[in-house]
């Protein structure tokens, strides 16, 4: 581990890892005509459809953690590219259901293979995708994702006397 990483906060390291991952995925899926965010949409649609779901844009946003407006924008771009079909939800005419087209399925399968190779590279130092360290790491990430984060009111600046007490 680098000296800078040894003194970094957990928040900084999470941010750096997420940026490293985003850039790597962007570069890896670019030859397939996708961005990282588009990959998240099509790969999530692929997984959800394998479970028998045809999610709305809202449900996909909840699943991915992306903002609903951003999922709408991404879905429209993917529809224009011929990868995603957007149709009105028969149970809620305000909602759009999403599904992959045949072309979308082909591109998504290729992209998943490319990203899985990247994931193997990333997790190799932990012993690989199925190692006990990776399973523990994955569990810890899931725990952190379950923590609700709400902005807190800014606290009063500490004085020198306060600093001595901490």
């Amino acid at each position: 581990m680098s000296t800078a990483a040894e003194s970094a906060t957990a928040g900084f390291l999470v941010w750096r890892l997420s940026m490293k991952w985003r850039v790597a995925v962007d570069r890896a899926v670019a030859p397939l005509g996708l961005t990282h965010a588009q990959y998240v949409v099509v790969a999530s649609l692929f997984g959800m459809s394998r479970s028998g779901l045809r999610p709305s844009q809202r449900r996909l946003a909840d699943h991915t953690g992306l903002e609903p407006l951003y999922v709408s924008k991404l879905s429209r771009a993917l529809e224009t590219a011929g990868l995603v079909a957007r149709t009105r939800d028969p149970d809620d005419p305000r909602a759009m259901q999403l599904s992959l087209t045949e072309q979308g399925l082909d591109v998504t399968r290729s992209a998943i293979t490319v990203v899985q190779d990247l994931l193997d590279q990333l997790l190799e130092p932990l012993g690989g995708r199925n190692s006990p360290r990776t399973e523990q790491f994955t569990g810890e990430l899931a725990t952190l994702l379950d923590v609700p984060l709400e902005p807190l009111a800014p606290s009063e600046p500490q004085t020198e006397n306060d600093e001595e007490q901490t």
Side-chain angles (χ1 to χ4, degrees):
M1 186 182 328
S2 70
T3 306
E6 289 174 6
S7 62
T9 65
F12 180 75
L13 293 174
V14 167
W15 178 76
R16 285 291 311 270
L17 181 59
S18 70
M19 294 306 296
K20 176 181 179 175
W21 181 251
R22 187 192 60 78
V23 168
V25 172
D26 263 338
R27 288 180 181 155
V29 299
L32 298 168
L34 297 173
T35 65
H36 178 259
Q38 289 172 328
Y39 169 76
V40 168
V41 168
V42 296
S44 294
L45 274 175
F46 182 80
M48 293 172 93
S49 69
R50 289 182 63 171
S51 300
L53 301 174
R54 189 164 184 210
S56 66
Q57 290 178 169
R58 166 60 91 175
R59 185 164 185 186
L60 186 63
D62 292 343
H63 175 80
T64 62
L66 296 170
E67 290 294 322
L69 189 59
Y70 191 39
V71 169
S72 176
K73 179 181 173 184
L74 291 167
S75 299
R76 277 188 252 116
L78 290 164
E79 180 182 42
T80 300
L83 304 179
V84 167
R86 297 169 66 239
T87 56
R88 292 270 174 220
D89 184 334
D91 297 327
D92 182 357
R94 298 168 297 156
M96 297 298 286
Q97 287 184 321
L98 303 173
S99 60
L100 292 170
T101 63
E102 286 302 316
Q103 180 185 356
L105 283 168
D106 292 342
V107 169
T108 300
R109 286 184 184 111
S110 297
I112 287 171
T113 299
V114 169
V115 173
Q116 289 299 319
D117 290 345
L118 275 179
L119 186 60
D120 288 338
Q121 291 175 44
L122 179 69
L123 296 175
E124 191 272 329
L126 298 180
R129 201 182 314 177
N130 298 315
S131 75
R133 281 184 71 196
T134 297
E135 289 179 18
Q136 180 182 359
F137 178 63
T138 302
E140 290 171 356
L141 289 172
T143 297
L144 294 176
L145 283 171
D146 286 341
V147 174
L149 295 178
E150 298 296 328
L152 301 176
S155 61
E156 294 290 322
Q158 288 188 335
T159 64
E160 285 184 38
N161 290 339
D162 291 337
E163 289 174 8
E164 291 172 6
Q165 295 172 2
T166 57

